[in-house]
Amino acid sequence: MKTLRAAEAPAKLSAGDKAKVSELETKGIERCNADDDKRADDFFAQAMKVMGK
């Protein structure tokens, strides 16, 4: 999650991409809170792909 947030701050994304990254981050946080770290990591990885990282 730290890596995602660090990459998100300077990223220049379209409104649609920002919304998608935010949605994936929210889903990842929900999975973290449910102790489902593998699925959380998957959501964070998808968000990184949207940002081209």
Side-chain angles (χ1 to χ4, degrees):
M1 183 166 44
K2 287 180 186 179
T3 305
L4 173 64
R5 289 190 174 160
E8 189 177 359
K12 296 186 182 350
L13 302 171
S14 68
D17 285 347
K18 278 186 184 183
K20 186 67 176 169
V21 168
S22 179
E23 176 185 340
L24 290 166
E25 181 178 5
T26 298
K27 287 180 180 181
I29 291 169
E30 288 172 0
R31 293 289 82 214
C32 274
N33 291 337
D35 290 329
D36 185 358
D37 292 337
K38 181 182 180 340
R39 289 208 50 219
D41 289 344
D42 290 343
F43 285 124
F44 296 147
Q46 289 174 41
M48 293 293 281
K49 283 184 182 178
V50 172
M51 291 187 288
K53 304 286 181 192

